[in-house]
Structure formats: C-alpha cells, structure tokens
Amino acid sequence: MSAYLLILDDDPDVATAAQLLLRRRYGQVATLSDPAGLPALLARAVPDVVLLDLNFTPGRINGAEGLALLDQLRAQARPPAVIAMTAYADVPLAVEALKRGAGDFITKPWDNARLIAAVDQALARREAVRGGAPGSPELMGDSRAMQELKGLIASVAPTEANVMVLGENGVGKELVARAIHAASRRAAGTLLAVDMGALPESTFESELFGHRKGSFTDAKADRAGRFQAARGGSLFLDEIGNMPLAAQAKLLTALERREVTPIGADKPESIDVRIISATNLDEARLFDPSVFRADLLFRLNTIVIRVPPLRERREDVPLLLRHYLRVYEEQYQRPLRNMSASAADALMRHDWPGNVRALRHACERAVILGQGLEYAINDFGLAGGNTVAPAAAGAEASVVTLAPAIAMPVAASGDLTLDAIERAAITATLVQFNGNISHAAKTLGISRAALYRKLGKHGI
C-alpha cells in the first residue's frame, strides 16, 4: 500500500518545495492551493496524510480557515491523518488543531528531517488506528484476557496515575492508550502521541519542550513543545524503550519537576499532562540499567498494563477475522464471502507472531487476492514457504508452529524472487531484534512506516 499525501497550502512555492522533498520518499504527493478544490479531490480519493496550512487569506493569522478545513477532513468516512502547518507559532492555535483531530503540527519554515519524521509518525499512527475500524469497538475481543484488560483500563483511566503499556508489536498498545485517555477526566483534552524512538537526539529538547525564536540557527519563530501542546490532556510516549540514556535523563528531569524550559527561554513552564508510555521491550531488558534508567522507569510505571499477544487469546481470532474481512470487503467493494472450515481451523491455530496487525494485513490480502467462492487458507498468505504442522493432541499444546523464515534460506526454498528475498530479510531482521520495529527499520535502512507497509505486503 503506497502512501498518498496532500499538501494544502496557499503558497505554491511552499507546496512545491514540500512536494519535491516528500515525493522521493512517499511517491504520490498532490498539492492544492485553493481550498475550494478540496471536495472534488476528496471525491476522487482520500489521502493518507494531509499537510494542512491554517491560513489562506492574506493578512489572516487566526487559523479559522484551516480549522474549518480540518473539520471537513475529519468528517470523512475514513479521515486522513492531518499535520497542521502554520507560519505563526501560536500555542493556543496548535492546541485547538490537536483538539479538533490533527495528529501533529509543524511551523514554517520547517526542518526537512522534522517534516519527514512527522509524516512517518502520521502514517504509522494511521496504520495503528486502522486496527479499530469505524463503528466497532477498537479493543475487540471477549476472551478472558481481553475482559481483564478492559476491566483494568476502566479502573485506571479515571485516575491521574502514569501508565506504562507493555506488549509485543501489533497487540494494540496505542489503542489501549487511547482507551485510557477516552475514559479519563482529561478526555476533553487532546491525546498527543510521540514516537520517542523516532525523535532525533539533536532535536529532542526542541520537540518535547519547545524553543524560542533565535535560540539556534533554524529557530525562526517560537515553537511549542509536545508537553505544552498536550496541556490539559494526555501525552502518549510510544517506543519509550528506544530512547537513548541521555534523552532519558532530560525526560526524567521534566517529569520530576513537572515543568519544562523551552530552549532559549529564561523561565520554566509548568506542565499539565498525564503520561502514558509504551514499549515492546521485554521486562528483563526494561529493568536493565544499561538500557533504561530505573528512576525514570519508576516515574512512568505507576500502573503497568500488559497487553496479551493474540496467541494467548485465540478465542478472539474468529471475531477479529469476521470484522476485518467485512471491513476490507466494504473498502474494496468486494462481495461478502464465507470462510472454508479448513481455513478457519488453520487460522485459529496460527501463532500470529505479528499479532492483530498481522491478522489485519492477512485479511486485507485475502479480500484483494482471494478468487474462490470461500476464503481458503492460501488467500491469507500465511504459508509463504512455511508449512502448517498438524495439530498435536491437547488444547494449547496443539498450537501450530510455523517454521521461522530465518531458518529457511531463500535459496533452499527454490524461490529467488525479489519478493521472497525481501520477505526473508525482513523476517530475519525482526528475529534479530526480537520484533523491535525501530531497530529493524534502522538496520534495513527504511522508515518505520515503510517497514509497517512491507509487513503488511508480505503478511508478516
């Protein structure tokens, strides 16, 4: 699935500059200078991400025009992720844009690395949010494990306690964070998600704490940090286990003092956010002081919520399969089809190493490629050279184990296509880093968003 970006800005030069930068990385990037053309453009296709200027009429700086367009975009059946852009670093305006559904904001002129990171994060969040389709509960499942998880969320959400969400890739940690925020007393405020693993160390303080105009070479205007932008709401610090130790010290200081000092400012600013953090690090590594500071960990993990992997709640698999098949049948306007009994049995016994995200991608693949009257196991792309072992006697002992692709050299399989080689390389890298998406993406030389797309493409 390629990304489709739209730059909505009244300055053609600015839009073209962004287009040239982003097109090399994301492929399809459209520009629009007149908001009047937006309805026709949306009628043709809704972008994945929209970079939205907030002022269009010369002399206007209150952002009202951009906010109205933001409402229009958010009203779409499948709304795009929106990154607000403005030449005027106005904290209340940025907060208002976030409250009305923007996922991030950028001030112009932008830093290229910062802009790309913002788009990467928007695409990654859009992928995560697609885990909960419109009209359905985002945390799906009636298993005992999910009932306990939902009960824990209901107990924790009304408090002000910091929450750390633990779980493997693809289990829905961001959905848990959103559920906590939605049921909290801060629900009227914004939930601002920050991928801590993707923040460059050189801009860490500026991104989180903000800066003042002139405080460094590229500081053309005052800029609010994430702590200020999320004031009154919740700040979701994702991939916190990937933060370098130096950055951990700066974050710890901010949390201890409950205040941040923007770069170039003389006085600190108090912060009013609830911290929800998440990581896929296993707990042994999380408690390793060479990886993560113990004092910061104790600041973050007042409450720990562990999201179960899908293999530990297999009874939810049929519900999830039905849901995502119907979602993609509707999205791609394909006829409703049932599933063969053998396919349903194999999918139930599959280990789902990529958890719900992998199941969702498998369903999308089946809807697109399946040709039979019923869905067959091959439609889901799970075999891919792996063989589903026969079920052994006993319930949990009967779990099907797929041979890891890393153990099967591509040449030995006889498949030397680029797709097969790419799939094997991705799988091997994920195994090497124990499923850590950030580390795997860095090693493979691609963005996290690009890696997520490739995981979906290959059904990993």
Side-chain angles (χ1 to χ4, degrees):
M1 182 179 65
S2 60
Y4 170 30
L5 276 58
L6 170 65
I7 303 163
L8 187 48
D9 195 302
D10 65 322
D11 187 332
D13 292 337
V14 169
T16 301
Q19 185 184 38
L20 291 174
L21 171 68
L22 299 172
R23 191 165 53 192
R24 294 195 297 268
R25 188 178 184 88
Y26 303 104
Q28 188 179 2
V29 181
T31 63
L32 187 64
S33 58
D34 185 355
L38 183 60
L41 185 146
L42 293 176
R44 293 193 294 272
V46 176
D48 296 305
V49 178
V50 176
L51 276 69
L52 175 66
D53 191 13
L54 292 181
N55 295 292
F56 289 85
T57 303
R60 294 193 67 175
I61 60 172
N62 63 4
E65 295 166 304
L67 293 175
L69 291 169
L70 175 58
D71 292 341
Q72 188 177 345
L73 290 167
R74 296 299 299 167
Q76 299 300 305
R78 296 182 182 278
V82 178
I83 299 172
M85 300 194 303
T86 178
Y88 302 91
D90 184 303
V91 172
L93 179 57
V95 171
E96 182 61 25
L98 293 170
K99 284 182 177 178
R100 291 165 75 155
D104 204 344
F105 68 93
I106 282 186
T107 53
K108 296 184 288 186
W110 57 76
D111 174 79
N112 286 349
R114 159 74 182 124
L115 178 60
I116 289 173
V119 174
D120 279 351
Q121 291 173 31
L123 287 169
R125 282 197 298 273
R126 181 174 165 80
E127 281 289 294
V129 170
R130 285 178 67 190
S136 68
E138 291 191 339
L139 285 170
M140 287 184 290
D142 298 319
S143 63
R144 181 175 177 179
M146 287 304 287
Q147 290 177 15
E148 291 176 352
L149 175 64
K150 293 173 184 176
L152 186 55
I153 291 171
S155 300
V156 168
T159 73
E160 284 293 298
N162 290 340
V163 179
M164 176 171 277
V165 186
L166 303 179
E168 299 174 2
N169 285 315
V171 295
K173 295 186 287 295
E174 180 162 353
L175 297 181
V176 171
R178 293 188 179 281
I180 293 170
H181 174 74
S184 74
R185 289 183 290 230
R186 294 174 175 268
T190 187
L191 170 69
L192 185 56
V194 184
D195 187 338
M196 304 299 284
L199 277 185
E201 196 168 352
S202 58
T203 60
F204 178 86
E205 287 182 88
S206 174
E207 291 296 328
L208 285 188
F209 310 147
H211 63 246
R212 292 288 179 263
K213 179 180 179 180
S215 56
F216 52 89
T217 303
D218 293 327
K220 308 296 185 186
D222 289 354
R223 183 184 185 284
R226 297 300 188 264
F227 274 95
Q228 295 95 325
R231 183 172 292 131
S234 304
L235 193 57
F236 176 50
L237 306 179
D238 198 7
E239 301 285 2
I240 195 146
N242 294 336
M243 287 176 60
L245 288 169
Q248 293 178 27
K250 295 171 184 174
L251 177 60
L252 174 65
T253 301
L255 296 179
E256 284 181 335
R257 297 178 180 173
R258 300 292 298 172
E259 62 184 24
V260 297
T261 303
I263 299 174
D266 297 325
K267 297 180 180 177
E269 299 176 2
S270 62
I271 57 176
D272 175 22
V273 294
R274 182 184 192 180
I275 301 296
I276 305 171
S277 57
T279 180
N280 60 7
L281 282 184
D282 61 58
E283 294 184 55
R285 293 202 68 204
L286 200 55
F287 280 92
D288 180 348
S290 68
V291 176
F292 206 83
R293 292 179 62 114
D295 43 9
L296 176 58
L297 180 61
F298 293 132
R299 280 280 171 187
L300 296 171
N301 70 346
T302 308
I303 301 291
V304 174
I305 292 181
R306 297 174 178 83
V307 186
L310 190 52
R311 63 181 175 278
E312 293 181 6
R313 55 183 186 101
R314 294 178 187 279
E315 57 268 49
D316 290 330
V317 169
L319 170 68
L320 292 165
L321 288 170
R322 284 196 300 273
H323 170 74
Y324 287 116
L325 287 172
R326 294 301 173 261
V327 166
Y328 289 115
E329 285 166 345
E330 178 184 348
Q331 178 175 334
Y332 295 112
Q333 299 183 340
R334 300 297 172 88
L336 301 181
R337 285 183 288 169
N338 293 321
M339 188 181 306
S340 70
S342 60
D345 181 61
L347 293 169
M348 269 288 286
R349 291 186 287 107
H350 184 46
D351 268 348
W352 296 108
N355 294 292
V356 178
R357 181 186 296 128
L359 180 145
R360 175 161 53 83
H361 290 320
C363 288
E364 184 174 15
R365 182 188 191 281
V367 169
I368 293 172
L369 299 180
Q371 298 295 321
L373 296 176
E374 294 182 321
Y375 291 111
I377 186 60
N378 289 339
D379 296 336
F380 293 84
L382 299 182
N386 297 320
T387 303
V388 177
E396 288 303 315
S398 68
V399 172
V400 168
T401 301
L402 295 180
I406 182 64
M408 185 193 66
V410 173
S413 73
D415 189 350
L416 290 175
T417 62
L418 284 175
D419 268 358
I421 294 171
E422 181 180 74
R423 188 182 195 282
I426 291 173
T427 305
T429 309
L430 287 171
V431 170
Q432 179 184 352
F433 292 105
N434 196 29
N436 187 302
I437 293 291
S438 294
H439 290 168
K442 185 176 181 180
T443 300
L444 291 166
I446 58 178
S447 68
R448 282 168 45 85
L451 180 54
Y452 278 124
R453 289 194 291 275
K454 288 182 182 297
L455 291 176
K457 170 188 171 184
H458 294 295
I460 299 174

